[in-house]
Amino acid sequence: MQLQSNETYNIMCQHMVFDKRAVESVMPHNSYYFSLIRSPVKAFVSFFIFYNNDKRMEQIAGRPLPLDESINKFLDLKYRDTNQEEKLGSYLISNNLNSMSYDLGMSQGSTVVITDDYITNYINMLNNRFNLLMTLEHLDESLLLLQHDLCWDQDDIFYLNRMVSKSNRSHESISETTIARLTQALTPDVKLYNHFSAKLLKRLESMPPEFKDKLSEFRETKAKFEADCMVMDRLVPAPYHSQQHPLTEKGENSLHCQVLAMKDVSLTKFISRLQDPEVASRPKVESYGYIDKFRTLETFPRQWKLRL
């Protein structure tokens, strides 16, 4: 979106690889930086299945493979194809191995050798730059910290657990040997996660006693909101080889439910249409349901203008 001369960007988000210098050149100096990370082995397995790498390994092998064997075959090929044995003491970072480190910008090109010292120095840089690294394992607690830091309302941190994977493979067990091998291969992600998970837990331990009451209240209110938005005992086909809970009649006519239920790409397009008159004037290529009636930012309720 093209800015007017007196404007600045105030949000940068969604599926971006972090580049400190590039982000700082665009965003105001007092921007709040936050992201979300997850237990590395669980994140890898989820990514591995979501992008059908297990099926690709079966095609290569010419037969069905247990998940454990499929992961080991992937690691064998990954290291062989990159001659990793010639780079002792270094680690691979890509969008399908150590993906959290990749997304947080640790891999700055093929000329950088990712060593233990490099990882430590990069984590220190992220530690100084980011205000909050949330973890999926403590998502609700993390969101309450985010709400506190940014002086948001409780409604601002609601989310919907709408999509459910069709695959049962994520529930397959993998051996301790494979977990150990993954932990070694995922050293950048493991170091990253361990550092920021410990930092998060330390901050949570320092919160006053009423924080637990706020957490219970948030979970109770969010569960009610989720039940109002979605039919919890029903699943329908959804994109990305998944299923999702359909919206209730109330959810279909709720701006809040509709926005939280939208796919990220669709939401980005919708917000662009609201903010940019040129985009808004173009013919629509997809329908957004109930919220289609909000054709411009001026027609949005006041609280949502502040969010957008």
Side-chain angles (χ1 to χ4, degrees):
M1 177 179 174
Q2 187 65 39
L3 292 176
Q4 302 298 320
S5 58
N6 62 339
E7 292 181 325
T8 59
Y9 291 108
N10 52 27
I11 294 177
M12 180 181 287
C13 63
Q14 289 193 23
H15 296 304
M16 58 171 285
V17 174
F18 178 67
D19 183 318
K20 181 175 181 289
R21 183 179 301 176
V23 173
E24 290 179 344
S25 71
V26 174
M27 299 302 295
H29 68 88
N30 62 342
S31 297
Y32 184 97
Y33 289 71
F34 69 99
S35 189
L36 176 67
I37 56 178
R38 182 183 183 185
S39 175
V41 171
K42 291 181 180 178
F44 171 85
V45 172
S46 176
F47 189 101
F48 187 77
I49 295 169
F50 182 85
Y51 285 102
N52 294 317
N53 284 324
D54 55 332
K55 292 182 174 57
R56 292 190 182 94
M57 296 305 103
E58 290 180 347
Q59 290 174 350
I60 292 171
R63 59 181 176 86
L65 297 175
L67 181 61
D68 188 88
E69 187 176 347
S70 185
I71 290 173
N72 277 286
K73 188 168 188 63
F74 173 85
L75 292 174
D76 290 341
L77 292 170
K78 194 71 178 172
Y79 283 108
R80 186 196 69 187
D81 291 349
T82 53
N83 296 316
Q84 183 67 9
E85 64 274 9
E86 298 176 7
K87 302 177 183 178
L88 299 177
S90 65
Y91 304 95
L92 295 172
I93 293 182
S94 68
N95 62 348
N96 57 15
L97 191 66
N98 289 299
S99 58
M100 293 188 296
S101 298
Y102 177 86
D103 286 339
L104 285 168
M106 195 180 291
S107 177
Q108 301 293 329
S110 58
T111 59
V112 175
V113 178
I114 310 297
T115 62
D116 287 317
D117 287 342
Y118 181 87
I119 296 168
T120 299
N121 291 333
Y122 199 86
I123 288 174
N124 288 336
M125 183 279 290
L126 293 175
N127 189 69
N128 293 328
R129 175 68 278 183
F130 274 74
N131 301 83
L132 178 64
L133 259 293
M134 308 186 295
T135 69
L136 187 62
E137 288 70 26
H138 292 90
L139 180 58
D140 290 345
E141 295 92 332
S142 298
L143 287 170
L144 284 178
L145 294 179
L146 185 67
Q147 177 194 359
H148 172 271
D149 290 354
L150 296 177
C151 301
W152 283 353
D153 295 328
Q154 190 179 78
D155 285 1
D156 295 321
I157 59 171
F158 281 165
Y159 61 93
L160 296 178
N161 289 316
R162 193 178 182 200
M163 297 182 72
V164 180
S165 174
K166 286 183 180 178
S167 174
N168 294 318
R169 299 217 69 177
S170 58
H171 301 294
E172 285 187 39
S173 61
I174 54 178
S175 68
E176 291 297 324
T177 301
T178 300
I179 291 174
R181 190 180 182 196
L182 272 176
T183 301
Q184 175 62 26
L186 298 172
T187 291
D189 273 6
V190 169
K191 287 178 176 285
L192 178 81
Y193 179 83
N194 287 348
H195 174 88
F196 286 106
S197 177
K199 182 178 180 179
L200 176 70
L201 291 176
K202 184 176 181 180
R203 184 178 174 188
L204 290 174
E205 289 170 0
S206 72
M207 298 301 288
E210 55 266 27
F211 183 83
K212 290 185 178 180
D213 296 332
K214 289 183 178 180
L215 179 61
S216 298
E217 179 192 349
F218 169 66
R219 286 174 170 164
E220 182 179 335
T221 308
K222 191 192 83 70
K224 183 179 183 305
F225 170 75
E226 197 169 59
D228 285 342
C229 286
M230 301 187 302
V231 182
M232 301 304 297
D233 59 354
R234 184 180 163 212
L235 289 169
V236 296
Y240 309 122
H241 318 292
S242 66
Q243 305 171 94
Q244 65 186 21
H245 298 289
L247 293 179
T248 62
E249 183 177 352
K250 183 175 180 179
E252 292 284 1
N253 293 283
S254 163
L255 176 62
H256 201 173
C257 294
Q258 285 271 351
V259 168
L260 291 183
M262 289 176 75
K263 299 190 296 291
D264 49 2
V265 175
S266 296
L267 181 58
T268 300
K269 290 178 180 178
F270 181 77
I271 293 174
S272 296
R273 196 184 78 184
L274 288 172
Q275 293 181 325
D276 192 335
E278 181 182 344
V279 176
S281 65
R282 299 172 190 166
K284 291 189 301 177
V285 295
E286 62 180 302
S287 171
Y288 301 103
Y290 167 76
I291 60 176
D292 257 334
K293 71 179 184 180
F294 301 105
R295 292 289 298 165
T296 65
L297 197 56
E298 286 69 32
T299 63
F300 252 61
R302 181 179 179 277
Q303 68 270 29
W304 281 91
K305 289 183 188 179
L306 298 178
R307 290 172 179 141
L308 299 177

